Amino acid sequence: MNWPALDTSLAIARVEYRRSLRATLQNKTQLLGFGVFLLLFVGVPTVGGSYAAYTYGERILDALPVLDGARGALALAWLGPVALIAQRAVGKTARIEHEAGMLTTVPAPDVLGGLVLAEAARVLSVAAVPVVAVAGAFALGIGAPAAVLTIVVALLAVFVTALLAGHIVGVVIKIVIGQSELLTRYKSVLAVVAFIAYFVAVSSEAFGRALVELFGLLQASPTAWFGDLLVAGVPGVAPSPVRIAGALALVAVGVPILLAVDVRAAERLWYADRAQPGTRTYEESDSDSTVLSRVAAGPTRAVVTKIWRRTRRAPIRLIYVVYPLFFLFAPLQQAFTTGEIPTSLPILLALYGVWAVGAAALNPLGDEGALLPVTLTTGVRGGQFVRGHVLAVTAIGLPLVVGATALAGFLSPLDPASWVTLAAVSAVLCVVGPVLALAIGTRFPRFGTVRVSRSREVVVPSKTAFACYTLVVAVGALGSAVALIPSVAALLSGLIGFVTGYLDLSVAIGASVLRVGGGTVALALGLVAPPLAYRYVSRRFDSYTL
């Protein structure tokens, strides 16, 4: 077998690492998000973990079964990098930029070595400092400087083997998908299903029980040997010398084997013929024709059909609609854990559903893409363009939102009058929201594509449109809550008094005044703004020039 040449692989790794770093620095939003991630999930845990390790290290050794805990923890932790690296390999890191040119000038093993080293550099850029800091603090706290070496070596061994294993899993998944016409055609749908399954799994109580079971079962696995290596330098702990030798042998033997398998899998991925899904012709089904004929005709119906067809071809273009689902994690986890629907869940479902239905129509001009000149010069008028977009998203989204809200409300402690009202209001807002979204998206369109994976670019709404629409929905929801729920108005009144008092402004606004103001804002956004937005989009479409 031809092994990767170290010098060539390092050169490729440097280029790939610089390219990923440059891409992050050029995207201000991504850079801001990455900075927040580093602060909250790297910086704070590093400082807190180092303090706790230094202060309570000896107490931890006295109170816990360190050896069994280290074995189970490292065996379980090994699965984390495997899943992460596999997911990234499926997304983009299993292939290199300008693949055809690279593979005709550089041997495939060298390319594979460069990709793996670049991925290792990305992960270590984030994880190296926290690991060394916490390990050093722990070693100083227990008075055993040698513990730093064993801890770092053990964690590095876990990472190296998990990196190669995860990369192999990701490459194999790409081979299976890439050589199947069916999976290639529906890979976007599969990605959405996988995300939903993951979201449901981590929200359930069964996920925690599974981790506990795995913690005990994996103590007998070979990856648990790294736990003995981890505590080899900790005084008062008696790890097995045989297991320590086994951990070192696992790295010495396993890494070359995993690397050889990874090279073979990568060559199969890069050189094998990919499946080419045949060109599909989309014909309007009888069911679609029957439904549309009852509510739309002519150009309006054509707009609806085109939007549905475009979404069916590339559902990944609506991936941004999924992002706020993370705010439902807490109530969903509570529902799965306790078996009872919390009061907040139907409210949050209604709020998210209303937002999502409108957000699906947030970039009407940009979604046309290269066909925008054709659309502008056809017989479609502005009003028909607006009605087509509203009908396209509400015909599918409104029943789902109302049904989910009503079902969650029925199963929750909310009284029938409350959840029925909530479902009815969500139905109205599912029609109002898209009209406002169309106006905002028309004012702040985006025509350029955004890369969502190494091989896929889609057109998504602009950040300005996204933020403005989200703000409008949030303000409308807050105004409605203040107007309809006295306790919310009282809470907001007290909050305003506290903040202004802290700033020595002494401004007091009564709850009754806030209720009137909230109702005015809600009515303005729900009744006054939609006709104005409809008129604006219609005129803008009719007078639009390239």
Side-chain angles (χ1 to χ4, degrees):
M1 172 182 169
N2 294 326
W3 297 96
L6 183 59
D7 54 347
T8 307
S9 296
L10 285 174
I12 294 174
R14 282 195 296 269
V15 173
E16 288 295 302
Y17 182 78
R18 289 174 182 172
R19 180 180 286 122
S20 60
L21 184 62
R22 189 183 304 116
T24 302
L25 294 176
Q26 290 176 348
N27 190 328
K28 302 303 180 184
T29 304
Q30 185 177 356
L31 182 61
L32 177 61
F34 187 63
V36 173
F37 170 80
L38 289 179
L39 176 64
L40 297 180
F41 299 101
V42 178
V44 174
T46 299
V47 175
S50 299
Y51 174 79
Y54 179 79
T55 306
Y56 304 106
E58 292 184 348
R59 299 181 187 179
I60 293 174
L61 294 179
D62 295 336
L64 298 177
V66 178
L67 183 56
D68 291 339
R71 290 171 177 172
L74 261 66
L76 187 61
W78 185 84
L79 299 177
V82 170
L84 174 64
I85 301 301
Q87 181 268 329
R88 286 179 53 81
V90 171
K92 58 182 179 179
T93 60
R95 292 189 179 276
I96 194 168
E97 293 285 350
H98 309 293
E99 182 177 295
M102 291 295 298
L103 293 177
T104 54
T105 55
V106 180
D110 297 353
V111 175
L112 185 278
L115 291 177
V116 172
L117 289 176
E119 186 69 352
R122 296 186 192 101
V123 177
L124 291 177
S125 297
V126 176
V129 173
V131 168
V132 174
V134 175
F138 178 75
L140 290 176
I142 64 175
V148 177
L149 180 62
T150 59
I151 292 173
V152 171
V153 169
L155 294 179
L156 186 61
V158 169
F159 171 68
V160 171
T161 52
L163 171 67
L164 292 171
H167 199 266
I168 293 172
V169 172
V171 170
V172 170
I173 293 175
K174 284 189 73 71
I175 292 174
V176 173
I177 295 176
Q179 296 185 4
S180 168
E181 180 179 336
L182 180 64
L183 296 179
T184 301
R185 176 175 295 173
Y186 296 106
K187 61 182 178 181
S188 298
V189 178
L190 293 174
V192 173
V193 172
F195 173 80
I196 294 175
Y198 165 78
F199 190 80
V200 172
V202 298
S203 303
S204 64
E205 186 179 5
F207 183 74
R209 292 197 299 267
L211 290 181
V212 173
E213 291 293 331
L214 283 175
F215 182 86
L217 293 175
L218 292 177
Q219 290 186 20
S221 66
T223 52
W225 300 344
F226 295 123
D228 291 75
L229 179 60
L230 181 81
V231 298
V234 177
V237 181
S240 168
V242 176
R243 284 175 172 260
I244 294 177
L248 298 175
L250 187 62
V251 176
V253 177
V255 168
I257 294 176
L258 291 172
L259 184 58
V261 174
D262 203 4
V263 169
R264 294 301 186 193
E267 290 176 342
R268 173 71 179 272
L269 173 66
W270 296 336
Y271 292 120
D273 293 333
R274 305 182 195 178
Q276 299 293 335
T279 302
R280 289 175 290 171
T281 58
Y282 290 84
E283 297 181 359
E284 193 174 52
S285 65
D286 293 338
S287 59
D288 290 346
S289 177
T290 302
V291 173
L292 285 177
S293 63
R294 294 175 180 175
V295 294
T300 301
R301 176 174 169 176
V303 172
V304 175
T305 303
K306 182 174 63 174
I307 294 173
W308 285 357
R309 186 174 299 168
R310 184 167 57 214
T311 305
R312 192 182 306 164
R313 287 173 175 169
I316 198 171
R317 74 182 188 87
L318 296 179
I319 189 172
Y320 61 92
V321 177
V322 181
Y323 295 157
L325 272 177
F326 289 102
F327 292 102
L328 295 176
F329 179 81
L332 285 177
Q333 185 180 39
Q334 181 180 349
F336 280 111
T337 302
T338 63
E340 299 179 356
I341 303 296
T343 305
S344 61
L345 184 57
I347 300 174
L348 291 176
L349 280 175
L351 181 61
Y352 168 73
V354 169
W355 178 91
V357 171
L362 196 51
N363 193 26
L365 299 178
D367 286 341
E368 293 294 323
L371 294 178
L372 181 59
V374 178
T375 304
L376 293 173
T377 54
T378 58
V380 178
R381 308 305 301 166
Q384 296 164 336
F385 182 76
V386 176
R387 291 192 297 273
H389 276 80
V390 174
L391 180 59
V393 295
T394 56
I396 297 176
L398 190 149
L400 293 177
V401 173
V402 173
T405 302
L407 179 60
F410 175 76
L411 298 176
S412 73
L414 286 175
D415 59 274
S418 297
W419 66 259
V420 169
T421 302
L422 182 64
V425 171
S426 66
V428 175
L429 294 181
C430 281
V431 179
V432 172
V435 180
L436 299 178
L438 286 170
I440 295 172
T442 302
R443 178 63 182 86
F444 304 105
R446 170 182 255 165
F447 299 99
T449 58
V450 174
R451 174 168 292 186
V452 295
S453 68
R454 183 177 290 272
S455 59
R456 195 65 183 269
E457 294 183 351
V458 295
V459 179
V460 298
S462 65
K463 293 185 285 290
T464 303
F466 192 91
C468 289
Y469 174 68
T470 303
L471 180 62
V472 167
V473 174
V475 170
L478 179 61
S480 301
V482 170
L484 298 176
I485 306 175
S487 58
V488 175
L491 178 63
L492 183 60
S493 177
L495 180 62
I496 293 174
F498 173 78
V499 173
T500 55
Y502 181 79
L503 299 175
D504 294 329
L505 297 177
S506 300
V507 177
I509 303 178
S512 58
V513 176
L514 289 175
R515 295 189 68 183
V516 173
T520 302
V521 171
L523 290 176
L525 292 175
L527 298 179
V528 179
L532 298 177
Y534 179 93
R535 187 176 182 182
Y536 168 76
V537 178
S538 300
R539 291 187 171 184
R540 179 64 173 161
F541 180 84
D542 289 334
S543 61
Y544 191 85
T545 56
L546 297 175

